[in-house]
Amino acid sequence: MPHLVCKNCGYYGKRLPYGDWLKMNNGQRVQINFLEQITFTLVAGWIASLTYKQYALWAVSVWFFGRFIFTLGYTAKGPQGRLAGALTMDLCMLSLIVLMIMSSGKLLAWW
């Protein structure tokens, strides 16, 4: 039985049963969130790795692990399942920001 949750879901989205529609939307949200974050993560990791190779490698590696946990949690349990992965990724992003600033400062001889 089709659902009437979304008016802008497209031709096929409107014809999916609600459970399938919800799984598809959760998968789409995971993919879009990944695409929003991957560019910054890779650029920040690259800049940080110019002077702090080991730390940058660990931060990006743990970020990918957090991404995996985020994906599994979100697709299995919906938004409430993303907490562990999201916290892991946020801590890695914060460390990459700090490393990127420190690396930039070191390369530009600010300190």
Side-chain angles (χ1 to χ4, degrees):
M1 171 153 211
H3 62 88
L4 301 172
V5 174
C6 179
K7 294 179 183 176
N8 299 319
C9 293
Y11 180 79
Y12 295 106
K14 289 179 184 176
R15 284 153 181 75
L16 284 174
Y18 180 73
D20 293 339
W21 175 84
L22 186 62
K23 287 179 189 175
M24 180 64 182
N25 275 320
N26 284 343
Q28 281 294 109
R29 289 184 191 125
V30 167
Q31 177 199 14
I32 291 168
N33 182 270
F34 174 78
L35 293 175
E36 289 171 350
Q37 292 187 6
I38 189 67
T39 303
F40 175 79
T41 302
L42 293 179
V43 170
W46 178 72
I47 293 171
S49 71
L50 293 174
T51 52
Y52 301 103
K53 291 176 178 40
Q54 290 286 7
Y55 295 124
L57 175 66
W58 275 103
V60 173
S61 298
V62 173
W63 182 88
F64 275 107
F65 175 75
R67 168 55 54 187
F68 181 70
I69 300 300
F70 180 91
T71 300
L72 290 179
Y74 205 120
T75 54
K77 299 177 185 173
Q80 55 275 30
R82 66 186 169 177
L83 184 63
L87 289 176
T88 304
M89 289 187 306
D90 288 346
L91 289 173
C92 290
M93 287 276 214
L94 180 62
S95 67
L96 282 173
I97 290 169
V98 170
L99 287 170
M100 183 175 59
I101 291 169
M102 289 172 52
S103 181
S104 298
K106 200 171 188 180
L107 291 171
L108 296 172
W110 289 345
W111 48 75

